[in-house]
Amino acid sequence: LYIATEDLRASGPVAVFAFGLTLGNEFSLWKTVRLSAWQMGGEMRRFHREIVFFFRAFFFVGLGVLISPAFFSDLPLVETALLFVVALVVARLAAVLLVSLGSKELTQSRPLMLLMLPRGLAAAVLATLPVVTVLPGTSQFLAFAFVTILATNVIAAFAPLAVRRKEEAGKDEQPKATASAP
C-alpha cells in the first residue's frame, strides 16, 4: 500500500495510517453501515501478530544500525534530546491533569496514565522520513528519535516501581494514623 501510494505521488505514511485506522475500527464501521461485522479468525490474528512483530523487530534493528555509538559523545545533542523528553513528560502531565479533572476514578489513575508515554515505532518511522528524503537540517532527527524512544521506555519501565513503592508507603502510614486515633 505504501509503495503503490508513493508511486501515485501521494503520501504513503498517511495511506498506511488510514488503512490501519480502518482495520482497527472495523467493528464500528460495520455497525455504522448496519451490516454484520466480518471477524478476523484466530489463525489470521496470530499471523497478523507475527507479521507485525517481524516488521517492528526489523525496523528497530535497522534503527540500531543507523545510530552510531559516537552519537552519545555529542553532549549538546544528547542534552537537547533529553530536554525534549522532559518537555514530553511535562506535556503528558498537563494532559493527564486536564483529562482527569472532575473524575474521581481518573484522578486515582493519574500515575498510570502519566506512565503511558513511551515512544516507539511511530516516532522512529517519522524521524526517518525527512532523513531519507534528504531534507536539509534533518540529519539529527534519528538521534533525537533514538534518545526519545530510549528515555521514554526507560521511564515507563522503572517508574511503576516508584509508583508501587509510593503506594505501599502510603498503605503503611495509613494504619498507623488510624490506630493512634481514639
Side-chain angles (χ1 to χ4, degrees):
L1 180 63
Y2 180 90
I3 293 169
T5 306
E6 287 288 326
D7 281 345
L8 294 172
R9 305 241 189 259
S11 176
V14 172
V16 171
F17 172 71
F19 183 69
L21 191 62
T22 303
L23 282 181
N25 293 299
E26 65 181 304
F27 295 115
S28 300
L29 293 173
W30 285 112
K31 189 187 259 186
T32 303
V33 183
R34 295 190 176 142
L35 295 173
S36 61
W38 171 81
Q39 294 184 9
M40 196 183 313
E43 191 66 30
M44 183 65 170
R45 285 193 186 279
R46 281 191 293 281
F47 175 73
H48 179 263
R49 282 193 298 261
E50 292 294 327
I51 292 296
V52 168
F53 172 76
F54 172 75
F55 279 108
R56 283 178 181 255
F58 177 76
F59 193 82
F60 281 116
V61 167
L63 183 63
V65 167
L66 292 174
I67 297 298
S68 167
F71 155 74
F72 291 105
S73 65
D74 187 359
L75 201 56
L77 182 69
V78 173
E79 289 172 345
T80 304
L82 289 175
L83 282 174
F84 181 69
V85 171
V86 169
L88 279 173
V89 171
V90 169
R92 181 70 182 200
L93 178 61
V96 165
L97 291 173
L98 183 66
V99 166
S100 62
L101 283 176
S103 171
K104 184 177 182 179
E105 184 178 326
L106 288 178
T107 300
Q108 293 172 346
S109 300
R110 280 179 179 166
L112 292 176
M113 290 190 300
L114 181 60
L115 296 177
M116 295 295 148
L117 78 131
R119 302 294 179 242
L121 188 61
V125 169
L126 292 175
T128 59
L129 286 175
V131 175
V132 170
T133 57
V134 194
L135 289 174
T138 61
S139 60
Q140 300 300 325
F141 277 21
L142 280 176
F144 283 118
F146 183 76
V147 170
T148 303
I149 291 167
L150 184 64
T152 57
N153 281 283
V154 166
I155 290 169
F158 291 107
L161 300 173
V163 170
R164 183 179 295 154
R165 284 186 190 145
K166 184 178 177 183
E167 287 175 354
E168 288 173 357
K171 288 178 184 177
D172 291 341
E173 290 176 12
Q174 219 170 21
K176 292 176 186 175
T178 56
S180 62

